Coordinates of all heavy atoms in Angstrom, one line a residue:
T367 N 50.2 -41.8 -21.8 CA 49.6 -41.9 -20.5 C 49.0 -43.3 -20.2 O 49.0 -43.8 -19.1 CB 48.6 -40.8 -20.3 OG1 47.6 -40.9 -21.3 CG2 49.2 -39.4 -20.3
K368 N 48.3 -43.8 -21.2 CA 47.6 -45.1 -21.1 C 48.5 -46.3 -21.2 O 48.3 -47.3 -20.6 CB 46.4 -45.1 -22.1 CG 45.6 -46.3 -22.0 CD 44.4 -46.3 -23.0 CE 43.6 -47.5 -22.9 NZ 42.5 -47.5 -23.9
Y369 N 49.5 -46.2 -22.1 CA 50.3 -47.4 -22.4 C 51.7 -47.2 -21.7 O 52.2 -46.1 -21.5 CB 50.5 -47.5 -23.9 CG 49.2 -47.7 -24.7 CD1 48.7 -46.6 -25.4 CD2 48.5 -48.9 -24.7 CE1 47.5 -46.7 -26.1 CE2 47.3 -49.0 -25.4 CZ 46.8 -48.0 -26.0 OH 45.6 -48.1 -26.7
G370 N 52.3 -48.4 -21.5 CA 53.6 -48.4 -20.8 C 54.7 -48.2 -21.8 O 54.6 -48.2 -23.0
M371 N 55.9 -48.2 -21.2 CA 57.1 -48.0 -22.0 C 57.4 -49.1 -22.9 O 57.8 -48.9 -24.1 CB 58.3 -47.8 -21.0 CG 59.7 -47.6 -21.7 SD 61.0 -47.4 -20.5 CE 62.4 -47.5 -21.6
D372 N 57.1 -50.4 -22.5 CA 57.3 -51.5 -23.3 C 56.4 -51.5 -24.5 O 56.8 -51.8 -25.6 CB 57.1 -52.8 -22.5 CG 55.7 -52.8 -21.8 OD1 55.1 -51.8 -21.7 OD2 55.3 -53.9 -21.4
F373 N 55.1 -51.1 -24.3 CA 54.2 -51.0 -25.5 C 54.7 -50.0 -26.5 O 54.6 -50.2 -27.7 CB 52.8 -50.7 -25.0 CG 51.8 -50.5 -26.1 CD1 51.1 -51.6 -26.6 CD2 51.6 -49.3 -26.7 CE1 50.2 -51.5 -27.7 CE2 50.6 -49.1 -27.7 CZ 50.0 -50.2 -28.2
R374 N 55.1 -48.8 -26.0 CA 55.6 -47.7 -26.9 C 56.8 -48.2 -27.7 O 56.9 -47.8 -28.8 CB 55.9 -46.5 -26.0 CG 54.6 -45.8 -25.4 CD 54.9 -44.4 -24.9 NE 55.9 -44.4 -23.9 CZ 55.6 -44.5 -22.6 NH1 54.3 -44.6 -22.2 NH2 56.5 -44.4 -21.6
F375 N 57.7 -49.0 -27.1 CA 58.8 -49.4 -27.8 C 58.4 -50.5 -28.8 O 58.8 -50.4 -30.0 CB 59.9 -50.0 -26.8 CG 61.1 -50.5 -27.5 CD1 62.1 -49.5 -27.9 CD2 61.3 -51.8 -27.8 CE1 63.3 -50.0 -28.5 CE2 62.5 -52.2 -28.4 CZ 63.5 -51.3 -28.8
L376 N 57.6 -51.5 -28.4 CA 57.2 -52.6 -29.3 C 56.3 -52.1 -30.4 O 56.2 -52.8 -31.5 CB 56.6 -53.7 -28.5 CG 57.5 -54.4 -27.5 CD1 56.7 -55.4 -26.7 CD2 58.7 -55.0 -28.2
Y377 N 55.6 -51.0 -30.2 CA 54.7 -50.4 -31.3 C 55.5 -50.0 -32.5 O 55.0 -50.0 -33.6 CB 53.9 -49.2 -30.8 CG 52.9 -48.7 -31.7 CD1 51.7 -49.4 -31.9 CD2 53.1 -47.6 -32.5 CE1 50.7 -49.0 -32.7 CE2 52.1 -47.1 -33.3 CZ 50.9 -47.8 -33.5 OH 50.0 -47.4 -34.4
N378 N 56.8 -49.8 -32.4 CA 57.7 -49.5 -33.5 C 57.8 -50.7 -34.5 O 58.1 -50.4 -35.7 CB 59.1 -49.1 -33.1 CG 59.0 -47.8 -32.3 OD1 58.2 -46.9 -32.5 ND2 60.0 -47.6 -31.4
I379 N 57.6 -51.9 -34.0 CA 57.9 -53.1 -34.9 C 56.9 -53.1 -36.1 O 57.4 -53.2 -37.3 CB 57.7 -54.4 -34.1 CG1 58.8 -54.4 -33.0 CG2 57.8 -55.6 -35.0 CD1 58.7 -55.6 -32.1
P380 N 55.6 -53.0 -36.0 CA 54.8 -53.0 -37.2 C 55.0 -51.7 -38.0 O 54.9 -51.8 -39.3 CB 53.4 -53.0 -36.6 CG 53.4 -52.5 -35.2 CD 54.8 -53.0 -34.7
L381 N 55.4 -50.6 -37.4 CA 55.6 -49.4 -38.2 C 56.9 -49.6 -39.0 O 57.0 -49.1 -40.2 CB 55.8 -48.2 -37.3 CG 54.5 -47.4 -37.0 CD1 53.9 -46.8 -38.3 CD2 53.5 -48.2 -36.3
S382 N 57.9 -50.2 -38.5 CA 59.2 -50.5 -39.2 C 58.9 -51.5 -40.3 O 59.5 -51.3 -41.5 CB 60.2 -51.0 -38.3 OG 59.9 -52.3 -37.7
I383 N 58.1 -52.5 -40.1 CA 57.7 -53.4 -41.2 C 57.0 -52.7 -42.3 O 57.3 -52.9 -43.5 CB 56.9 -54.6 -40.7 CG1 57.7 -55.4 -39.7 CG2 56.4 -55.5 -41.8 CD1 56.9 -56.5 -39.0
M384 N 56.1 -51.8 -42.0 CA 55.3 -51.0 -43.0 C 56.3 -50.1 -43.8 O 56.1 -50.0 -45.0 CB 54.2 -50.2 -42.3 CG 53.1 -51.0 -41.7 SD 52.0 -50.1 -40.6 CE 51.5 -48.8 -41.7
Y385 N 57.3 -49.5 -43.1 CA 58.2 -48.7 -43.8 C 59.0 -49.5 -44.8 O 59.2 -49.0 -45.9 CB 59.1 -48.0 -42.8 CG 60.2 -47.1 -43.4 CD1 59.9 -45.8 -43.7 CD2 61.5 -47.6 -43.6 CE1 60.8 -45.0 -44.3 CE2 62.4 -46.8 -44.1 CZ 62.1 -45.5 -44.5 OH 63.1 -44.7 -45.1
V386 N 59.5 -50.6 -44.4 CA 60.2 -51.5 -45.4 C 59.3 -51.9 -46.6 O 59.8 -51.8 -47.7 CB 60.8 -52.7 -44.7 CG1 61.4 -53.7 -45.7 CG2 61.8 -52.3 -43.6
L387 N 58.1 -52.3 -46.3 CA 57.2 -52.7 -47.3 C 56.9 -51.6 -48.3 O 56.9 -51.8 -49.6 CB 55.9 -53.2 -46.7 CG 55.9 -54.6 -46.0 CD1 54.6 -54.8 -45.3 CD2 56.3 -55.7 -46.9
R388 N 56.7 -50.4 -47.8 CA 56.3 -49.3 -48.7 C 57.6 -48.9 -49.5 O 57.4 -48.6 -50.7 CB 55.9 -48.1 -47.8 CG 55.5 -46.9 -48.6 CD 54.8 -45.8 -47.8 NE 55.6 -45.5 -46.6 CZ 56.5 -44.4 -46.7 NH1 56.7 -43.7 -47.8 NH2 57.2 -44.1 -45.6
Y389 N 58.7 -48.9 -48.9 CA 59.9 -48.5 -49.6 C 60.3 -49.5 -50.7 O 60.7 -49.2 -51.8 CB 61.1 -48.3 -48.6 CG 62.1 -47.3 -49.0 CD1 62.2 -46.1 -48.3 CD2 62.9 -47.5 -50.1 CE1 63.1 -45.1 -48.6 CE2 63.9 -46.5 -50.4 CZ 64.0 -45.4 -49.7 OH 64.9 -44.4 -50.1
E390 N 60.2 -50.8 -50.4 CA 60.5 -51.8 -51.3 C 59.5 -51.9 -52.5 O 59.9 -52.1 -53.6 CB 60.7 -53.2 -50.6 CG 61.9 -53.3 -49.7 CD 62.3 -54.8 -49.6 OE1 62.1 -55.5 -50.5 OE2 62.9 -55.1 -48.5
A391 N 58.2 -51.7 -52.2 CA 57.2 -51.7 -53.2 C 57.5 -50.6 -54.2 O 57.4 -50.8 -55.4 CB 55.8 -51.6 -52.6
A392 N 57.8 -49.4 -53.7 CA 58.2 -48.3 -54.6 C 59.4 -48.6 -55.4 O 59.4 -48.3 -56.6 CB 58.4 -47.0 -53.7
A393 N 60.4 -49.2 -54.8 CA 61.6 -49.6 -55.5 C 61.3 -50.6 -56.6 O 61.9 -50.5 -57.8 CB 62.7 -50.1 -54.6
F394 N 60.5 -51.5 -56.4 CA 60.1 -52.5 -57.4 C 59.4 -51.9 -58.6 O 59.7 -52.2 -59.7 CB 59.2 -53.6 -56.8 CG 60.0 -54.7 -56.0 CD1 59.6 -55.0 -54.8 CD2 61.1 -55.3 -56.6 CE1 60.3 -56.0 -54.0 CE2 61.8 -56.3 -55.9 CZ 61.4 -56.6 -54.6
L395 N 58.5 -51.0 -58.3 CA 57.8 -50.3 -59.3 C 58.7 -49.4 -60.2 O 58.6 -49.4 -61.4 CB 56.6 -49.4 -58.8 CG 55.4 -50.2 -58.2 CD1 54.4 -49.2 -57.5 CD2 54.7 -51.0 -59.2
V396 N 59.6 -48.7 -59.5 CA 60.5 -47.8 -60.2 C 61.4 -48.6 -61.1 O 61.6 -48.3 -62.3 CB 61.3 -47.0 -59.2 CG1 62.4 -46.2 -59.9 CG2 60.4 -45.9 -58.5
T397 N 62.1 -49.6 -60.6 CA 63.0 -50.4 -61.3 C 62.3 -51.3 -62.4 O 63.0 -51.6 -63.4 CB 63.8 -51.4 -60.4 OG1 62.9 -52.2 -59.6 CG2 64.7 -50.5 -59.5
S398 N 61.1 -51.6 -62.3 CA 60.3 -52.3 -63.3 C 60.2 -51.5 -64.6 O 60.3 -52.1 -65.7 CB 59.0 -52.7 -62.8 OG 58.1 -51.6 -62.6
V399 N 60.1 -50.2 -64.4 CA 60.1 -49.3 -65.6 C 61.4 -49.4 -66.4 O 61.5 -49.5 -67.6 CB 59.8 -47.8 -65.2 CG1 59.8 -46.9 -66.4 CG2 58.5 -47.8 -64.5
C400 N 62.5 -49.4 -65.6 CA 63.8 -49.5 -66.2 C 64.1 -50.9 -66.8 O 64.6 -51.0 -67.9 CB 64.9 -49.2 -65.2 SG 64.8 -47.6 -64.3
T401 N 63.6 -51.9 -66.1 CA 63.8 -53.3 -66.5 C 63.1 -53.5 -67.8 O 63.6 -54.2 -68.7 CB 63.3 -54.2 -65.4 OG1 64.0 -54.0 -64.2 CG2 63.6 -55.7 -65.9
E402 N 61.9 -53.0 -68.0 CA 61.1 -53.3 -69.2 C 61.8 -52.7 -70.4 O 61.6 -53.3 -71.5 CB 59.7 -52.7 -69.0 CG 58.8 -52.9 -70.2 CD 58.6 -54.4 -70.6 OE1 58.9 -55.2 -69.8 OE2 58.1 -54.6 -71.8
T403 N 62.5 -51.7 -70.3 CA 63.2 -51.1 -71.4 C 64.6 -51.7 -71.6 O 65.3 -51.4 -72.6 CB 63.4 -49.6 -71.2 OG1 64.2 -49.3 -70.1 CG2 62.1 -48.9 -71.0
G404 N 64.9 -52.7 -70.8 CA 66.3 -53.3 -70.9 C 67.4 -52.5 -70.3 O 68.6 -52.7 -70.6
F405 N 67.0 -51.5 -69.5 CA 68.0 -50.6 -69.0 C 68.7 -51.3 -67.8 O 68.1 -51.8 -66.9 CB 67.4 -49.3 -68.5 CG 68.3 -48.2 -68.1 CD1 68.8 -47.3 -69.0 CD2 68.8 -48.1 -66.7 CE1 69.7 -46.4 -68.6 CE2 69.7 -47.2 -66.4 CZ 70.1 -46.3 -67.3
G406 N 70.1 -51.3 -67.8 CA 70.8 -51.8 -66.7 C 71.1 -53.3 -66.8 O 71.6 -53.9 -65.8

């Protein structure tokens, strides 16, 4: 009600960046366990 359609659409940008950061950080931590053992 308070914000316009353009704001609602552009608000997705920081949320999408946060999603990528969280997913990649988890992937780095997971693969680091495998990497330390020489797996792969």
